[in-house]
């Protein structure tokens, strides 16, 4: 049966290589089913071990076995086809295979399968494996470097590599238990190999392969096999041996550069030991006491210097050693200076057992620094980090968009060198590093000349890089003005594009300006702006690109500097000109963001006007199918910032031009707010934009599928509506029907933004200065009442956040105020009646008095019959008491009298007990008459100014809702109440209320069966006096 099963599986494995798709599918299905059957792995191993099976079949069998082990060995439950018994059998077969490794092929696949099993079972559940692996290795001390021993070293390396990835503490403790055993068995072989290699002038590749894996085994054991290597008796000695092995490897590499080829085992061994050396320092720093921390630092710097020379001169060694090898050297140096005990020595809290080791390492490091000098150490690291080959520099100058900050910035080696220099600059080495950089700045930052060699240019780049990296170390020794004077020659030379070297130096000089900007005195901002503006006008593309970020930083850190006066428009012009030549997201987005910031700050100045050609360029970029989402959102932000120029709360509002309005409407339409082609109906300017920049179908699909476009497009529309001029009102009104149709037929994720849009439209229609023909807009608004009221109703029923609820109520308040026809009032009746019932049936405190009650009081004034009818649907007497209590929550008389009036209307329809009502009525009137009450409009509108500022994530910074605030102020005043500009609002409101409501009060008094004098006698003196002054008593 086993033979038959093996034959079937072998046939399926070979069928997997068939050129026929159907045959491969059938074979894959058969193997998938076979995986679920018990004994599948055993059958695969029998196929692999069968010498009668062809080479291809055996290879396929062991690969399939490796894959199944990796997927299913640790599976549990129903997905676990491998039983414990089969697992033991499979492990036993693998032990036999490993023991006869030389007679079986494809040992790498075997090692990978064993490694996967070891992940779960080694060492505790597979005790027999370790001896089988270690015996041939330890036997090499007598028998020489045998092939079987070398094969076992490779397998051991796979196993230990897997052990090093285990993170559970229990598994780490297992590794700690076996590490000394393994190291004791292979340590002598490792030492013998090191001696053998040191004695050879030429070494074969196979021996380097053996060395690479044996070195890997030892260094893994040292790194993860001991919790505290420095506490082990021989721990420091072993680290010293690793250091000596690295020295031997480096000596051989320098003597035989032709053997250091990419992929060679010599290079692999060197990289492996170098990386492990650095990890040893990170994991066990005090174990370097015998190796001598200072000597190790000197050795690392020696390697760094020799690598720098090789790479600078482009020798064969320099071209063969990859960047990550140099990075490992730099990381080691950084790690040396990162250890606090090395830098500062033992502290009071140090472990007594470690004080001697800490003191020794501290002395070793400081002795090395004193010997080498801090300056050469920093210079070495800056040099290797800033080393960019000439061909890469030329490539960057040709296409600076590939790296907007300059050639080589962002490269891993450069980042590692910069991080290392920053680490070195910590105490106690901060002062000498700062003094050294100051000396270099003073002596080396001379004006660039065409005759400067590449080495001179590199030295200047190093100084500039250090000034940007460690400003806090140099600032105590140099004034900003002195620094800027040193940088000025580089900026001037670059602004005229006088040579490639000048451009390279200028890119680093502007980085220094950007870094030093936060601490820069405002008096020097003008100096920087002038030179940055000159750079943005440079004929060199690289200069214009690198100037973007420093300008942005100056704008963010020094927005109030006087030097910005009259500069915004100049920078906007240059940034927009730069847009034409940019292609990558990495450069387009910062440029657009800078334009947005400049437009926002220019809003108070009011002098900039975007030209038609610029608008056309921005729309073309928007509609370019190749534009990234980030770019389109940045363009939306630019146009939102453009609306700020017309903000009515600025000193010099500059309304949108007709072309700017049409460009905004193009973007709004493309965002899916107004339907396809809506913007094309807006005017001739839009047609001009559309002719040159037709909307690609792909762009339309992207915008329609992304809700963020709808949100940003809505925010842009809100900004446009807030600054629209009288002549532009018909244009924006033409798209209102489509907007309402969109809101009514679309499932809205949130209601706050649609409500904001409709609020702005109602505001436009109710603003006198925008109504050219004596209220024509207000009349036109009546036709949209059903749709607007329905939007309010949906928002109130959705029970979203307070922001949406408040907007819906404010919209309802404006609609009540603007309702001119019975049809409009009838459209509002249902939703206000529902709102009334909801409030009157709720507990006090469950609703916002300052948002709900102004709506209901206005409804009572405009539609008293609707209020009386609604009072019959709630408990008797509730409504008048609620209105009276609400009036006491307001501080402004204009709101208080409206609520008092509503209470009287409600009392006439659904009376509360007379004694309770009149007592509360009198106290509320006395509160209204208080002489310390504030005059003017309701102070709660101060809350509205925050609520409608629309500085949410969706809308961003937009013009303030000045018109809307005024409209809400007007709607908060009861109909018929007119307050002259210079009058006392409190007195006028109280007189209007007492006189206007006297007939209604008299009717309620008569229902109470008391006379007017008796009624008034129960009132507080201030209320009695008010009635007498008005002749009402």
């Amino acid at each position: 049966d086993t033979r038959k099963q093996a034959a079937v599986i072998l046939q399926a494995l070979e069928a997997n290589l068939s050129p026929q798709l159907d045959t491969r599918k059938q074979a894959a299905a058969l193997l998938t089913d076979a995986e679920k059957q018990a004994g599948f792995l055993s059958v695969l191993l029998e196929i692999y071990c069968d010498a009668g099976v062809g080479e291809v079949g055996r290879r396929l069998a062991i690969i399939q076995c490796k894959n199944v082990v990796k997927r299913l060995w640790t599976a549990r439950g129903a997905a676990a086809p491998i039983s414990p018994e089969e697992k033991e059998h499979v492990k036993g077969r693998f032990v036999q295979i490993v023991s006869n490794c030389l007679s079986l092929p494809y040992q790498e696949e075997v090692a990978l399968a064993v490694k996967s099993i070891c992940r779960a079972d080694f060492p505790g559940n597979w005790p027999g494996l370790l001896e089988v692996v270690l015996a041939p290795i330890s036997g090499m001390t007598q028998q020489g470097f045998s092939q079987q021993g070398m094969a076992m070293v490779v397998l051991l390396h796979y196993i230990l590599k897997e052990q090093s990835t285990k993170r559970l503490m229990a598994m780490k403790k297992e590794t700690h238990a076996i590490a000394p055993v393994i190291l004791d068995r292979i340590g002598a072989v490792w030492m013998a190999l090191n001696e053998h290699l040191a004695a050879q002038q030429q070494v074969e590749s196979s021996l380097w392969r053996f060395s690479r894996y044996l070195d890997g085994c030892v260094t893994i054991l040292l790194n993860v096999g001991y919790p505290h290597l420095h506490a082990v008796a021989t721990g420091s000695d072993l680290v010293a041996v690793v250091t000596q092995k690295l020295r031997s490897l480096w000596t051989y590499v320098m003597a035989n550069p032709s053997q250091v080829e990419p992929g060679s085992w010599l290079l692999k061994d060197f990289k492996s030991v170098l990386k492990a050396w650095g990890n040893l320092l990170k994991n066990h720093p005090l174990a370097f006491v015998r190796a001598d921390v200072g000597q190790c630092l000197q050795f690392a710097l020696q390697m760094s210097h020799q690598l720098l020379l090789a790479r600078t001169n482009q020798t064969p060694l320099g071209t063969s050693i990859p960047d990550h090898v140099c990075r490992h050297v730099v990381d080691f140096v950084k790690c040396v200076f990162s250890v606090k005990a090395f830098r500062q020595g033992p502290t009071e809290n140090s472990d007594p057992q470690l004080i001697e080791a800490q003191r020794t390492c501290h002395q070793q490091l400081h002795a090395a620094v004193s010997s080498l000098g801090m300056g050469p150490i920093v210079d070495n690291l800056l040099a290797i980090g800033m080393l960019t080959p000439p061909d890469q520099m030329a490539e960057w100058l040709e296409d600076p968009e590939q790296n907007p900050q300059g050639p080589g910035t962002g490269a891993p080696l450069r980042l590692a060198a910069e991080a290392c220099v920053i680490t070195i600059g910590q105490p106690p080495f901060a002062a000498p590093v700062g003094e050294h950089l100051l000396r270099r700045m003073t002596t080396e930052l001379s004006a660039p000349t065409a005759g400067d060699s590449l080495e001179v240019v590199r030295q200047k780049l190093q100084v500039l890089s250090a000034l940007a990296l460690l400003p806090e170390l140099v600032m105590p020794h140099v004034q900003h003005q002195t620094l800027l004077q040193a940088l000025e020659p580089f900026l001037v030379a670059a602004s005229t594009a006088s040579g490639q070297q000048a451009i390279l130096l200028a890119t680093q000089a502007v980085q220094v300006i950007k870094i030093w900007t936060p601490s820069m005195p405002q008096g020097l901002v003008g100096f920087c702006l002038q030179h940055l503006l000159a750079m943005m006008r440079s004929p060199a593309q690289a200069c214009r690109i690198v100037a973007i970020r420093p300008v942005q930083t100056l704008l963010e850190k020094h927005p109030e500097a006087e030097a910005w006066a009259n500069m915004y428009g100049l920078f906007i012009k240059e940034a927009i000109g730069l847009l034409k030549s940019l292609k990558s997201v990495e450069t387009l987005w910062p440029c657009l963001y800078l334009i947005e910031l400049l437009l926002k700050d220019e809003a108070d100045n009011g002098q900039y006007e975007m030209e038609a050609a610029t608008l056309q360029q921005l729309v073309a970029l928007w509609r370019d199918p190749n534009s990234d989402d980030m770019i389109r959102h940045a363009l939306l932000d630019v146009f939102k910032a453009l609306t700020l120029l017309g903000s009515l709360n600025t000193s010099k509002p500059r309304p949108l031009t007709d072309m700017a309005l049409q460009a905004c409407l193009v973007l709004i339409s493309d965002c899916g707010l107004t339907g396809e082609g809506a913007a094309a109906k807006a005017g001739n300017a839009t047609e001009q934009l559309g002719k040159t920049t037709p909307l690609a179908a792909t762009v339309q699909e992207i915008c329609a599928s992304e809700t963020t476009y709808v949100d940003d497009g809505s925010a842009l529309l809100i900004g446009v509506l807030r600054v629209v001029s009288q002549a532009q009102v018909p244009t924006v009104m033409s798209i209102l029907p489509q907007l309402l149709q969109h809101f009514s037929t679309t499932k809205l994720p949130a209601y706050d933004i649609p409500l904001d849009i409709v609020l702005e439209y109602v505001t436009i229609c109710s603003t006198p200065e925008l109504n050219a023909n004596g209220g024509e807009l207000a009349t036109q608004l009546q036709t949209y009442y059903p749709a607007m009221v329905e939007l309010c109703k949906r928002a109130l029923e959705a029970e979203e956040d307070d922001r949406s609820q408040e907007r819906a109520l404010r919209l309802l308040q404006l609609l009540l105020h603007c309702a001119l026809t019975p049809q409009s009032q009838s459209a509002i009746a249902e939703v206000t009646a529902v709102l009334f019932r909801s409030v009157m049936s709720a507990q006090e405190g469950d609703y916002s008095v300052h948002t709900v009650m102004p709506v209901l009081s206005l409804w009572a004034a405009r539609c008293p019959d609707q209020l009386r009818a609604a009072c019959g649907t709630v408990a008797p007497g509730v409504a008048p008491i609620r209105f009276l209590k609400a009036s006491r929550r307001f501080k402004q008389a204009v709101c208080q009298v409206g609520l008092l009036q509503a209470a009287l209307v409600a009392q006439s329809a659904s009376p509360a007990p007379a004694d309770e009502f009149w007592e509360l009525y009198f106290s509320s009137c006395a509160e209204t008459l208080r002489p310390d009450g504030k005059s003017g409009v309701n102070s709660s509108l101060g809350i509205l100014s925050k609520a409608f500022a629309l500085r949410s994530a969706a809308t961003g910074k937009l013009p303030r809702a000045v018109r809307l605030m005024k409209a809400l102020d007007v709607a908060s005043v009861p109909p018929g109440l007119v307050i002259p500009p210079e009058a006392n609002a409190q007195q006028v409101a109280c007189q209007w209320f007492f006189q206007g409501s006297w007939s209604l009060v008299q009717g309620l008094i008569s229902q109470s069966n008391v006379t007017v004098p008796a009624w008034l006698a129960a009132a507080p003196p201030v209320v009695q006096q008010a009635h007498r002054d008005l002749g009402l008593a």
Side-chain angles (χ1 to χ4, degrees):
D1 292 339
T2 303
R3 291 181 179 178
K4 290 181 180 179
Q5 189 178 7
V8 172
I9 292 175
L10 177 59
Q11 185 178 5
L13 289 170
E14 293 175 341
N16 250 336
L17 303 178
S18 171
Q20 300 298 324
L21 178 60
D22 292 340
T23 303
R24 295 200 304 273
K25 285 184 176 181
Q26 292 176 5
L30 190 150
L31 291 172
T32 301
D33 292 338
E35 285 182 4
K36 303 174 184 177
Q37 306 300 319
F40 180 61
L41 283 176
S42 301
V43 174
L44 289 173
L45 288 177
E46 294 307 321
I47 295 174
Y48 166 70
C49 294
D50 188 351
V53 177
E55 184 177 340
V56 174
R58 298 175 77 179
R59 183 169 185 269
L60 292 173
I62 192 61
I63 290 175
Q64 184 74 12
C65 179
K66 174 199 68 174
N67 294 338
V68 172
V69 165
K70 187 173 182 178
R71 288 199 315 271
L72 302 178
W73 191 266
T74 57
R76 297 180 179 180
I82 309 175
S83 65
E85 294 76 16
E86 185 179 1
K87 286 184 178 180
E88 291 302 319
H89 178 263
V90 169
K91 287 190 288 187
R93 289 294 286 148
F94 268 118
V95 168
Q96 296 173 4
I97 292 171
V98 168
S99 301
N100 299 284
C101 61
L102 296 182
S103 62
L104 292 170
Y106 312 119
Q107 284 301 306
E108 185 174 357
E109 283 73 16
V110 172
L112 290 172
V114 170
K115 180 191 79 165
S116 297
I117 298 175
C118 288
R119 179 73 187 177
D121 289 14
F122 184 80
N125 295 328
W126 203 355
L129 176 65
L130 191 57
E131 181 58 32
V132 173
V133 174
L134 290 178
I137 300 176
S138 58
M140 285 193 287
T141 54
Q142 289 83 27
Q143 303 170 7
F145 304 131
S146 64
Q147 292 297 318
Q148 185 175 13
M150 291 182 181
M152 289 304 171
V153 167
V154 175
L155 177 59
L156 180 62
H157 184 268
Y158 275 103
I159 296 171
L160 293 177
K161 191 74 173 177
E162 194 68 26
Q163 286 295 114
S164 69
T165 64
K166 295 180 179 179
R167 293 292 177 261
L168 293 178
M169 184 53 65
M171 294 182 175
K172 288 185 176 182
K173 288 181 178 179
E174 289 182 339
T175 305
H176 295 163
I178 64 171
V181 176
I182 299 175
L183 195 57
D184 184 60
R185 299 285 294 274
I186 70 173
V189 180
W190 180 55
M191 299 293 284
L193 175 63
N194 292 342
E195 293 175 2
H196 177 75
L197 292 174
Q200 302 295 315
Q201 292 185 349
Q202 295 294 322
V203 181
E204 296 181 356
S205 178
S206 59
L207 202 56
W208 282 127
R209 179 177 182 271
F210 176 44
S211 176
R212 184 262 178 272
Y213 283 110
L214 188 55
D215 287 339
C217 291
V218 173
T219 53
I220 290 173
L221 289 169
L222 294 177
N223 266 304
V224 303
Y226 299 89
H228 305 291
L229 187 59
H230 61 268
V232 179
T234 58
S236 297
D237 294 328
L238 290 170
V239 171
V241 176
V242 172
T243 304
Q244 184 56 45
K245 176 62 180 284
L246 183 62
R247 287 180 181 274
S248 299
L249 283 167
W250 179 246
T251 302
Y252 190 91
V253 165
M254 293 299 294
N256 301 275
S258 60
Q259 296 185 29
V260 187
E261 299 176 352
S264 66
W265 285 107
L266 170 60
L267 181 57
K268 289 180 179 180
D269 192 18
F270 174 68
K271 290 191 299 183
S272 174
V273 177
L274 176 61
K275 183 177 180 181
W277 192 48
N279 289 334
L280 277 171
L281 184 60
K282 293 177 185 177
N283 298 328
H284 308 284
L286 295 181
F288 275 74
V289 64
R290 191 66 56 83
D292 193 317
V293 173
Q295 302 250 347
C296 291
L297 174 63
Q298 291 179 336
F299 173 48
L301 292 171
Q302 177 190 353
M303 285 192 291
S304 173
H305 178 68
Q306 290 173 328
L307 285 171
L308 174 64
L309 292 177
R311 291 162 70 85
T312 302
N313 299 325
Q314 295 186 331
T315 63
L317 178 63
T319 56
S320 300
I321 297 288
D323 277 1
H324 62 266
V325 173
C326 302
R327 192 173 73 247
H328 290 324
V329 177
V330 172
D331 286 341
F332 183 87
V333 177
K334 176 191 172 186
C335 193
V336 169
F337 286 95
S338 298
V339 181
K340 188 175 181 180
F342 290 0
R343 295 197 324 269
Q344 301 180 357
T347 63
E348 295 180 358
N349 300 323
S350 297
D351 186 337
Q353 299 179 356
L354 305 179
I355 288 179
E356 187 57 36
Q358 291 176 345
R359 182 181 293 110
T360 302
C361 291
H362 170 69
Q363 294 171 350
Q364 291 170 349
L365 174 60
H366 281 258
V369 171
S370 299
S371 173
L372 295 170
M374 185 53 69
I377 295 175
V378 173
D379 293 346
N380 183 301
L381 294 166
L382 289 173
I384 197 167
M386 295 294 297
L387 182 63
T388 303
D391 57 338
Q392 290 186 17
M393 291 185 179
E395 183 181 349
W396 178 81
L397 288 167
E398 184 177 346
D399 182 18
E401 288 193 71
Q402 60 182 307
N403 196 339
Q405 305 306 314
T409 55
L413 176 57
R414 179 162 179 174
L415 294 176
E418 291 175 348
C420 185
V421 172
I422 292 173
T423 302
I424 293 174
Q426 297 177 353
F429 303 114
V433 171
E435 294 168 359
H436 173 71
L437 295 179
L438 180 62
R439 285 194 297 270
R440 289 199 65 181
M441 185 190 83
T442 306
T443 58
E444 297 181 25
L445 287 190
S446 58
T449 62
D452 286 347
S453 66
L454 183 59
E455 182 59 30
V456 171
V457 173
R458 283 174 174 163
Q459 290 176 359
K460 292 179 179 180
L461 286 173
Q462 293 168 23
V463 178
L464 293 171
S465 176
L467 292 173
L469 282 175
L470 301 169
E472 66 280 355
L473 300 187
V474 185
M475 283 181 187
H477 308 286
V478 63
Q479 295 182 348
H480 286 74
Q481 186 171 0
T482 304
L483 173 72
L484 293 178
Q485 289 174 350
L487 299 179
E488 185 174 14
F490 303 103
L491 303 175
V492 172
S495 63
T496 57
S498 57
Q500 296 182 352
Q501 296 179 354
I503 296 172
L504 290 170
L505 291 167
T507 60
Q508 196 61 49
V510 295
Q511 298 303 318
V512 177
I513 292 177
K514 185 183 77 170
I515 298 298
W516 285 60
T517 289
S519 61
M520 184 180 297
Q522 286 201 2
L524 297 177
V525 172
F527 175 92
C528 298
L529 290 178
Q530 291 293 339
H531 285 291
L532 290 172
L533 181 62
M535 285 195 68
M536 292 195 71
R537 291 172 172 172
S538 169
Q541 175 88 330
C543 291
R544 300 199 299 273
I545 290 176
V546 298
I548 293 175
R549 295 285 190 183
V551 175
Q552 174 190 328
T553 306
L554 282 167
L555 190 60
E556 292 174 339
K557 300 300 181 180
H558 299 285
E560 305 299 330
E562 295 180 0
W564 279 110
N566 303 320
M567 294 288 283
Y568 297 111
L570 299 175
F571 277 107
I572 293 172
K573 179 181 177 181
E574 299 304 327
I576 289 176
L578 178 59
L579 276 179
K580 299 177 183 179
S581 57
L582 299 180
K583 299 175 183 178
S584 70
V585 177
E586 291 76 11
T587 51
L588 278 169
W589 187 88
C591 190
L592 288 169
Y593 182 59
L594 176 61
I595 294 170
E596 177 196 353
L597 293 178
L598 291 166
L599 285 172
K600 287 178 179 178
D601 285 347
E602 170 68 359
D604 290 330
N605 199 13
Q607 296 183 3
Y608 180 75
E609 181 176 307
M610 193 168 284
E611 299 176 353
T614 300
L615 292 165
Q616 196 173 56
Q617 172 190 346
L618 295 178
V619 173
L621 181 59
W622 162 266
R623 287 188 157 182
D624 186 349
N626 297 319
S627 290
D628 188 86
D629 282 345
M630 184 182 292
I631 300 305
R632 291 200 183 91
H633 284 295
L635 284 165
L636 285 166
D637 289 338
V638 168
F639 277 96
K640 282 187 282 184
L642 190 61
T643 64
L644 285 170
L645 298 177
S647 184
L648 301 179
N649 66 314
T650 58
S651 58
K652 299 178 182 179
R654 193 179 189 91
L656 289 174
T657 63
D658 289 342
M659 184 66 81
L661 173 64
Q662 308 308 333
C664 290
L665 292 178
V666 167
L667 271 64
I668 292 167
S669 176
D670 291 352
C671 286
L673 268 176
T674 57
E676 184 178 358
K681 302 177 183 178
N684 294 331
T686 303
E687 293 178 5
Q688 295 173 15
L689 290 167
K691 286 178 181 178
T692 55
T693 56
L695 176 62
T698 53
V699 176
Q700 195 172 34
E701 292 170 3
I702 291 172
C703 293
S705 63
E706 294 286 344
T707 56
T708 51
Y709 281 110
V710 177
D711 292 343
D712 274 357
S714 300
L716 176 57
L717 177 57
I718 291 170
V720 168
L721 295 175
R722 289 180 179 176
V723 300
V724 69
S725 65
Q726 183 187 58
Q728 295 167 341
V729 167
T731 300
V732 297
M733 289 299 296
S734 67
I735 64 174
L736 177 58
Q738 293 165 294
L739 283 167
L740 294 175
Q741 177 70 15
H742 173 76
F743 295 151
S744 63
T745 58
T746 305
K747 183 178 180 181
L748 301 173
Y751 287 91
D752 54 342
I753 295 179
L755 288 168
D756 283 326
I757 293 174
V758 177
L759 272 167
E760 294 298 338
Y761 268 107
V762 176
T763 300
I764 288 173
C765 294
S766 61
T767 301
E769 55 266 26
L770 295 181
N771 279 263
N773 300 319
E776 179 181 341
L777 290 177
T779 304
Q780 182 183 354
L781 180 66
Q782 309 304 307
T783 60
Y784 305 124
Y785 261 58
M788 293 180 175
V789 172
E790 180 63 23
L791 181 62
C792 284
K793 180 180 177 182
R794 290 169 60 192
L796 291 171
E797 291 175 349
E799 296 184 355
E800 288 187 357
D801 55 30
D802 294 341
R803 188 173 57 186
S804 296
Q805 295 281 312
E806 183 181 7
R807 279 160 169 72
L809 291 169
R810 294 306 176 190
L811 176 57
L812 195 58
Q813 185 178 1
L814 283 182
L815 291 175
L816 278 166
H817 176 73
C818 297
L820 302 179
T821 65
Q823 292 81 1
S824 298
Q825 295 178 355
S826 176
I828 300 174
E830 180 183 355
V831 66
T832 47
V834 171
L835 176 65
F836 174 81
R837 289 194 295 272
S838 174
V839 170
M840 296 306 162
S841 60
Q843 296 291 328
E844 292 187 44
D846 290 348
Y847 56 89
S848 173
V849 171
H850 289 96
T851 54
V852 175
M853 284 307 188
V855 178
L856 296 180
S857 68
L858 181 60
W859 181 48
R862 298 298 303 269
C863 310
D865 292 337
Q866 292 181 10
L867 175 63
R868 291 189 179 95
C871 285
T873 62
V874 298
V878 172
I881 299 301
R882 289 282 175 90
F883 279 121
L884 289 175
K885 289 183 177 180
S887 71
R888 303 170 67 89
R889 299 281 297 276
F890 289 80
K891 295 183 178 180
Q892 303 301 334
V894 291
C895 292
Q896 290 173 329
V897 298
L899 290 165
L900 290 173
Q901 188 180 51
L904 293 173
V905 175
Q907 180 69 6
S908 67
S910 178
D915 292 343
E916 180 186 0
F917 175 80
W918 290 121
E919 180 182 0
L920 189 56
Y921 174 80
F922 285 143
S923 63
S924 298
C925 289
E927 182 72 22
T928 305
L929 290 165
R930 284 179 58 185
D932 58 344
K934 296 180 181 178
S935 61
V937 232
N938 178 12
S939 63
S940 68
L941 294 181
I943 301 174
L944 285 178
S945 64
K946 296 179 181 178
F948 289 92
L950 293 180
R951 293 176 181 175
S952 61
T955 56
K957 187 177 179 183
L958 294 174
R960 288 191 61 190
V962 176
R963 291 170 181 158
L964 177 56
M965 292 297 98
K966 291 181 179 178
L968 286 171
D969 288 351
V970 173
S972 298
V973 179
L977 173 58
V978 178
I979 303 176
E982 302 299 327
N984 184 301
Q986 182 188 31
Q987 293 180 0
V988 174
C990 291
Q991 291 174 7
W992 172 85
F993 167 68
F994 288 129
Q995 289 176 335
S997 62
W998 181 239
S999 60
L1000 183 55
V1001 170
Q1002 285 180 313
L1004 293 175
I1005 293 173
S1006 63
Q1007 294 176 11
S1008 302
N1009 296 322
V1010 295
T1011 62
V1012 172
W1015 170 83
L1016 190 59
V1022 66
V1023 177
Q1024 295 180 24
Q1025 187 63 43
H1027 282 75
R1028 292 191 188 99
D1029 291 345
L1030 295 173
L1032 302 177

